[in-house]
């Protein structure tokens, strides 16, 4: 109950010091005599006292906090990013406050409003699409904002991410150059990154006049979704010779379905994942995946924020990252080499006109309806 909350005065009475001494210890323990500090710490630990930061946050120009909007807690993709952001923030004396959006623009707007009410010094976003109110609110706040994961055409402030359509195009082109002709795309959730990867896939197939095969689910990705989708796809497209998956969860599920049906990977079908999660190193065969640097991305986002807060204008505000291909066994050696070569030239890669997201979405919905 709120009326029973332990206060600074309660701690002071237990130790036999003034309320100001307890406050000074909590703010900066080095300013209190060591013996007194040990007594205060013991009293705090005994009663489970938690300092109320609200008055400090309201009275100081900086709250030493950074908001981080995470699209999903169930997707292992974001754990490395959180760890990288927290490691850099902790080193600078900042704390990360996390909000969960569930890939929903309205939920992101609500959570951002909540965090901004705590006077956070900056904001990190992992969703690529925002409501007009979110954009307006962040721009008017004048706090540093970093959008991560995807490159965006008109960032709110700063942007670090991957050109997912270009990456997918380069990967699929590598498979085609090695002789694969019936390449399938397995999608999930249908968020903006999934659609960007699908756009690159469709663009590569269109360039070589190949027929697209797209299967997916509007549900969040997991191994079960990947396996179920792959089983359905193998029944309808028995001549498929390569599978490009929107993430590693789907890719591992696809591998499970292939093993069940006696399909050899990569001899009969090549499988390519996306994100390079650690679990891919434990599969047999080891999953080949497009690795993204989530830990470094989170770390770099906080670094850009710190530079901005120090009024250092030398920081880059728009950073395009280049992925690497993990050393797995679900592609042939020739395919690994072809895709790696394409990634090496990714910055200079001239993309043909991309198949638009609208067209990609229409194709996906057609396949989803057919699967029901």
């Amino acid at each position: 109950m709120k009326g029973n909350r332990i206060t600074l005065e309660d701690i002071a009475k237990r130790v036999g010091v003034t309320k100001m001494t307890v406050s000074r210890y909590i703010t900066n323990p080095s300013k209190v005599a060591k013996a007194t500090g040990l007594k205060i710490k013991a009293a705090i630990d005994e009663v489970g006292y938690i300092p109320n930061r609200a008055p400090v946050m309201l009275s100081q120009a900086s709250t030493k906090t950074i908001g981080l909007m995470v699209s999903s807690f169930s997707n292992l993709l974001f754990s490395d990013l959180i760890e990288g952001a927290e490691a850099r923030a902790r080193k600078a004396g900042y704390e990360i406050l996390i909000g969960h959006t569930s890939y929903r623009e309205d939920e992101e707007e609500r959570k951002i409003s909540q965090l901004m009410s705590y006077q956070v010094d900056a904001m990190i976003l992992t969703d690529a699409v925002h409501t007009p109110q979110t954009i307006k609110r962040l721009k008017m706040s004048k706090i540093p904002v970093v959008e991560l994961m995807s490159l965006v055409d008109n960032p709110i402030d700063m942007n670090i991410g991957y050109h997912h359509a270009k990456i997918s195009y380069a990967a699929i082109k590598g498979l085609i150059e090695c002789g694969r002709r019936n390449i399938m795309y397995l999608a999930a959730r249908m968020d903006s990154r999934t659609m960007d990867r699908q756009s690159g896939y469709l663009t590569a197939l269109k360039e070589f006049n190949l027929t697209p095969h797209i299967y997916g689910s509007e549900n969040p990705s997991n191994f079960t979704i990947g396996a179920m989708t792959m089983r359905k796809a193998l029944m309808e497209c028995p001549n498929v010779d390569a599978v490009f998956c929107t993430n590693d969860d789907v890719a591992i599920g696809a591998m499970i379905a292939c093993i069940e049906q006696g399909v050899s990977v990569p001899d009969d079908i090549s499988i390519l994942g996306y994100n390079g999660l650690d679990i891919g190193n434990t599969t047999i065969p080891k999953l080949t995946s497009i690795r993204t640097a989530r830990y470094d991305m989170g770390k770099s986002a906080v670094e850009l924020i710190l530079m901005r807060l120090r009024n250092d204008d030398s920081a880059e505000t728009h950073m395009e990252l280049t992925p690497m291909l993990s050393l797995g066994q679900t592609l042939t050696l020739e395919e690994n080499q072809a895709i790696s070569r394409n990634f090496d030239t990714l910055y200079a890669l001239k993309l043909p006109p991309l198949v638009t997201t609208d067209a990609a979405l229409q194709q996906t919905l057609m396949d989803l309806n057919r699967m029901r």
Side-chain angles (χ1 to χ4, degrees):
M1 292 176 60
K2 188 174 181 180
N4 295 330
R5 181 171 181 164
I6 301 296
T7 65
L8 281 178
E9 190 172 349
D10 295 327
I11 301 297
K13 287 179 179 179
R14 277 177 173 266
V15 180
V17 296
T18 66
K19 180 178 173 182
M20 183 63 69
T21 301
V22 178
S23 177
R24 188 180 300 116
Y25 170 80
I26 291 171
T27 305
N28 189 346
S30 64
K31 291 185 177 181
V32 176
K34 186 174 181 180
T36 302
L38 290 173
K39 292 179 182 178
I40 294 173
K41 182 180 184 306
I44 288 174
D45 292 343
E46 182 182 351
V47 301
Y49 172 73
I50 298 175
N52 181 8
R53 295 192 66 230
V56 177
M57 293 169 70
L58 291 172
S59 65
Q60 294 183 355
S62 173
T63 62
K64 295 290 185 178
T65 57
I66 298 172
L68 170 58
M69 291 290 110
V70 176
S71 306
S72 170
F73 282 149
S74 62
N75 192 335
L76 293 176
L77 169 71
F78 296 101
S79 60
D80 289 338
L81 188 148
I82 294 171
E83 188 176 348
E86 287 194 327
R88 183 63 186 92
R90 192 181 307 116
K91 187 176 179 181
Y94 281 74
E95 295 293 336
I96 299 291
L97 303 182
I98 300 174
H100 178 224
T101 71
S102 298
Y103 290 93
R104 288 173 45 193
E105 297 169 42
D106 60 335
E107 186 65 10
E108 181 193 57
E109 179 183 316
R110 189 176 73 86
K111 291 293 178 65
I112 286 176
S113 179
Q114 287 181 344
L115 287 186
M116 290 182 70
S117 72
Y118 289 100
Q119 305 295 316
V120 292
D121 295 326
M123 192 74 67
I124 300 172
L125 312 179
T126 59
D127 288 316
V129 182
H130 320 287
T131 66
Q133 183 61 34
T134 292
I135 295 171
K136 179 181 178 181
R137 185 172 286 148
L138 288 172
K139 285 186 173 181
M140 292 184 67
S141 73
K142 305 297 184 183
I143 64 173
V145 177
V146 185
E147 292 171 89
L148 295 183
M149 309 300 290
S150 301
L151 290 183
V152 294
D153 293 332
N154 297 298
I156 296 170
D157 185 8
M158 297 176 281
N159 184 206
I160 306 174
Y162 293 92
H163 194 310
H164 297 290
K166 187 194 291 186
I167 291 168
S168 300
Y169 169 81
I172 300 303
K173 189 173 181 180
L175 293 174
I176 296 170
E177 290 167 346
C178 293
R180 303 291 182 176
R181 289 295 179 269
N182 294 290
I183 304 171
M184 183 179 297
Y185 179 56
L186 296 188
R189 196 185 286 274
M190 306 309 161
D191 61 279
S192 61
R193 284 185 283 274
T194 292
M195 302 312 298
D196 285 345
R197 290 163 193 158
Q198 182 169 299
S199 180
Y201 160 85
L202 289 171
T203 302
L205 263 60
K206 181 179 179 181
E207 181 178 343
F208 289 88
N209 295 313
L210 298 177
T211 302
H213 304 284
I214 302 172
Y215 287 82
S217 169
E218 294 169 308
N219 296 320
S221 64
N222 54 48
F223 304 148
T224 302
I225 290 291
M228 291 175 58
T229 306
M230 189 65 187
R231 292 187 196 107
K232 178 73 173 179
L234 287 172
M235 289 177 59
E236 297 192 359
C237 302
N239 62 340
V240 63
D241 56 14
V243 179
F244 173 49
C245 303
T246 190
N247 61 34
D248 290 351
D249 289 355
V250 173
I252 291 172
M255 290 174 61
I256 292 170
C258 286
I259 292 170
E260 287 176 352
Q261 301 194 29
V263 176
S264 176
V265 178
D267 295 334
D268 298 330
I269 296 178
S270 288
I271 296 180
L272 177 60
Y274 206 110
N275 286 321
L277 299 182
D278 183 65
I279 192 170
N281 294 320
T282 67
T283 60
I284 302 175
K286 187 184 294 185
L287 177 65
T288 304
S289 183
I290 298 169
R291 283 169 34 192
T292 54
R294 283 96 54 197
Y295 182 92
D296 291 337
M297 201 185 308
K299 196 174 176 181
S300 296
V302 175
E303 184 60 41
L304 288 183
I305 286 169
L306 294 174
M307 293 178 73
R308 179 68 63 78
L309 292 174
R310 293 193 299 264
N311 295 317
D312 184 345
D313 296 328
S314 65
E316 292 184 66
T317 58
H318 191 80
M319 298 169 59
E320 178 179 351
L321 305 179
T322 302
M324 296 177 62
L325 201 62
S326 65
L327 299 177
Q329 291 96 36
T330 56
L331 299 185
T332 66
L333 177 60
E334 181 186 10
E335 290 164 350
N336 273 303
Q337 292 173 340
I339 295 175
S340 293
R341 282 196 303 270
N342 288 347
F343 283 174
D344 288 340
T345 60
L346 200 63
Y347 281 125
L349 181 64
K350 297 294 184 182
L351 270 172
L354 282 170
V355 176
T356 65
T357 301
D358 289 342
L361 179 58
Q362 183 180 12
Q363 176 68 48
T364 298
L365 292 176
M366 288 172 58
D367 284 309
L368 284 171
N369 289 331
R370 181 162 54 86
M371 290 175 66
R372 290 191 180 99

